[in-house]
Amino acid sequence: MTPNLVVDALLESLPHVQAWHGKTIVVKIGGAAMSDDALVDAVTQDVVLLGAVGVQVILVHGGGSAVSALGRQLGLEPTFVDGLRVTDDATMRVAQMVHIGGLSRDLVAAIGRRGGRAVGLSGHDGGGWLRATPRTHTRREDGEAVSLGRVGDITAVDASMLHGIVRAGMVPVVAPVAVDSSLESLNVNADSVATAVAAAVDADKLVFLTDVPGICGADGEVTAEVDARTLGRWIEDGTVSGGMIPKAEACLSALDSGVSLVTVADGRVGHGLLLELLTDVGVGTMIRVGTESQ
Ligand code: ADP
Ligand code: MG
């Protein structure tokens, strides 16, 4: 790059740096981006750069497929009720090993290698800062309420420790493991953790980095923007399916909680975060409150 282009790029970022300085952003990084070291490095580089220009980032990571893979290697047979996976105690141990001992550590180390400072957290820390309640499921066949094992839904977030870590200039890296009232682990969906954390810290923006370029509408094309009501309809009519359902629900609940800027973007292309935050280029799909437009 010629010096002039470097200067142009820096100047283009100036109004964005000014706008985001001192703001808090929650970034959820999904399984796909986590499986590639180069992508993890690119995301962590973005996080460290954002931190260096005064943007406070909180990272939340997923990694369900890594839990299944290690579970299989250890000979754990997954069981399902109506297509929903049951997390038995052994699988919960594996989830804990993969998330806290593995993925969180990798992110904390990658941030460190880029000159940033990060702290890995799960719900157990700080006396149980991330609380959840075990989820029950109404079985289709007989209407019975059945347990899904150690699967939980977030009930409370004590943000004081997060605030302390952020104030110390460090990046909290949050694993999707919460605790119940007895401080036993519960597996929680990382999208809903990101939303709960964003709401608790009153984040200015929430970004979901996933393995698709954004949310596809009924025509199968990625949409640059979708309003909450349309997205709700897409969940109901099946336009949104699979892993995009909890993500879309997490987007809607973030908007409801007052987090006004919510984006779903591609975590497989490097530096999407920098493009989204510090340049005029927008990436992925922005979900906004407001009236139906399509
Ligand atoms: P993550 O690890 O980021 O949470 P998920 O696999 O849980 O990723 O969710 C993303 C997946 O959702 C995509 O890979 C895609 O297969 C699926 N999906 C379903 N409906 C849509 C849609 N309308 N637009 C985009 N992706 C969708
Ligand atoms: Mg998912």
Side-chain angles (χ1 to χ4, degrees):
M1 214 196 257
T2 66
N4 279 350
L5 284 177
V6 175
V7 169
D8 285 349
L10 285 171
L11 288 178
E12 182 183 328
S13 73
L14 176 61
H16 301 283
V17 169
Q18 286 168 325
W20 286 110
H21 185 90
K23 298 283 194 319
T24 302
I25 296 175
V26 175
V27 178
K28 187 261 171 164
I29 170 168
M34 292 289 305
S35 57
D36 180 333
D37 288 347
L39 288 176
V40 170
D41 186 46
V43 171
T44 51
Q45 220 177 349
D46 292 4
V47 168
V48 173
L49 194 150
L50 288 168
V53 298
V55 186
Q56 291 153 357
V57 179
I58 298 173
L59 257 188
V60 177
H61 67 83
S65 57
V67 175
S68 308
L70 183 59
R72 267 194 304 276
Q73 280 173 25
L74 294 173
L76 297 177
E77 272 307 314
T79 52
F80 295 88
V81 180
D82 294 341
L84 299 170
R85 194 197 170 105
V86 178
T87 303
D88 58 16
D89 291 349
T91 306
M92 187 64 242
R93 293 295 298 174
V94 172
Q96 215 160 273
M97 285 157 62
V98 167
H99 286 306
I100 305 168
L103 301 172
S104 258
R105 287 296 105 194
D106 292 346
L107 284 168
V108 168
I111 290 172
R113 277 195 289 272
R114 286 290 176 185
R117 295 189 300 157
V119 176
L121 298 173
S122 71
H124 293 272
D125 296 299
W129 72 279
L130 187 63
R131 300 276 178 150
T133 182
R135 182 187 298 175
T136 51
H137 169 72
T138 310
R139 194 161 47 200
R140 271 187 227 129
E141 174 188 358
D142 53 8
E144 278 291 305
V146 291
S147 164
L148 293 176
R150 305 305 305 165
V151 175
D153 293 308
I154 305 284
T155 49
V157 180
D158 172 2
S160 57
M161 194 174 50
L162 289 178
H163 286 305
I165 292 169
V166 165
R167 260 200 307 276
M170 299 191 202
V171 178
V173 173
V174 179
V177 175
V179 290
D180 64 14
S181 51
S182 319
L183 294 191
E184 298 287 350
S185 306
L186 286 170
N187 212 355
V188 281
N189 179 281
D191 296 328
S192 59
V193 174
T195 289
V197 165
V201 301
D202 204 8
D204 299 285
K205 189 174 174 81
L206 171 58
V207 180
F208 293 93
L209 294 176
T210 184
D211 63 351
V212 280
I215 304 180
C216 300
D219 57 2
E221 298 289 320
V222 172
T223 179
E225 216 179 279
V226 61
D227 64 86
R229 203 182 321 164
T230 305
L231 185 57
R233 213 180 56 225
W234 286 355
I235 297 173
E236 274 164 30
D237 70 14
T239 302
V240 155
S241 61
M244 195 50 77
I245 295 176
K247 207 179 303 301
E249 285 171 343
C251 291
L252 295 178
S253 115
L255 290 177
D256 272 349
S257 325
V259 181
S260 55
L261 298 174
V262 182
T263 296
V264 174
D266 205 336
R268 299 164 310 172
V269 288
H271 307 297
L273 260 187
L274 284 192
L275 286 174
E276 170 75 3
L277 288 161
L278 298 188
T279 74
D280 297 336
V281 179
V283 297
T285 302
M286 194 180 99
I287 299 91
R288 54 182 177 76
V289 218
T291 51
E292 198 157 1
S293 60
Q294 31 190 314

